[in-house]
Amino acid sequence: VRPCAHPFAADASMSVPSPPVPLNNPCSVISNNVLYEFQSNAFQSLPLKQGAQWTQLPMGTSVTGAQCVLASVNGQDTLFVVGGSSNSSDQTYPGLQRYSFADGTWQNCSPQMSVTQNRIMHGAVYLNATSSILIYSGFQDNSYSRSSQTFTIQTQSPFGVNAFPSNAPPVIRPLLMPWNQSHAVM
């Protein structure tokens, strides 16, 4: 009997480089084989290939507790940062911003209802069939209570919002993932 190497054993030639700003509760997406990490003090990317290095990117609005969602806007991959508490004294941040991978710019988006402003402890996922972001749970008042609040937000102006009753259990920090083009699983 000879020992087998673990399939995920670290190989010194494949070490992962350290980012310029240490990761601290980031939210993440992968687009075009590049990992993007957004957190309150940095926005960074790492190509997913041998020998790649981290790049620090221009920052959008600094928030904590947000969820990152990869969506398609006009056929282009777009990062949406959904919710989060703004770290600035300016309380006008609407709780939704998007980053265009095509031109490297940020835009604050104002949903028709303020369901994302200061929302934390929520889950979010993109639904391709309706070009909308599904948000489940979370709260906006620092109550740290379980919630079954459910919303969808359109990914293009005027960023229409729909609210839905939910039969699902109230939770804190749900993990949402796409199930198919029109449904998500929690």
Side-chain angles (χ1 to χ4, degrees):
V1 177
R2 51 180 206 198
C4 294
H6 189 279
F8 300 109
D11 177 356
S13 67
M14 295 183 66
S15 64
V16 177
S18 295
V21 178
L23 300 178
N24 182 18
N25 278 335
C27 62
S28 314
V29 298
I30 295 174
S31 174
N32 200 24
N33 288 322
V34 177
L35 172 66
Y36 293 88
E37 297 280 348
F38 179 91
Q39 60 192 35
S40 64
N41 62 343
F43 181 47
Q44 305 172 97
S45 67
L46 177 67
L48 299 177
K49 62 182 182 182
Q50 185 76 19
Q53 295 296 314
W54 286 93
T55 301
Q56 198 161 358
L57 301 169
M59 187 70 179
T61 300
S62 174
V63 294
T64 56
Q67 294 291 309
C68 289
V69 174
L70 181 64
S72 178
V73 176
N74 298 323
Q76 299 286 324
D77 277 359
T78 303
L79 165 65
F80 279 85
V81 177
V82 181
S85 294
S86 174
N87 297 333
S88 111
S89 59
D90 179 11
Q91 295 301 312
T92 62
Y93 173 65
L96 186 66
Q97 59 185 310
R98 69 181 180 192
Y99 178 78
S100 168
F101 295 115
D103 61 20
T105 59
W106 285 97
Q107 175 189 11
N108 283 346
C109 308
S110 296
Q112 290 181 330
M113 295 171 50
S114 62
V115 298
T116 54
Q117 189 173 36
N118 294 315
R119 180 167 296 276
I120 58 174
M121 302 293 182
H122 58 290
V125 68
Y126 178 66
L127 300 176
N128 192 51
T130 57
S131 297
S132 63
I133 297 170
L134 170 68
I135 301 169
Y136 185 74
S137 187
F139 45 84
Q140 297 173 283
D141 59 1
N142 291 324
S143 65
Y144 288 88
S145 58
R146 294 178 185 171
S147 168
S148 61
Q149 292 181 332
T150 308
F151 307 99
T152 58
I153 299 175
Q154 294 299 303
T155 56
Q156 295 197 41
S157 185
F159 304 102
V161 176
N162 289 311
F164 299 94
S166 175
N167 294 327
V171 296
I172 293 178
R173 297 188 84 171
L175 174 62
L176 298 181
M177 295 174 38
W179 182 261
N180 60 29
Q181 298 289 312
S182 60
H183 292 78
V185 63
M186 174 178 69

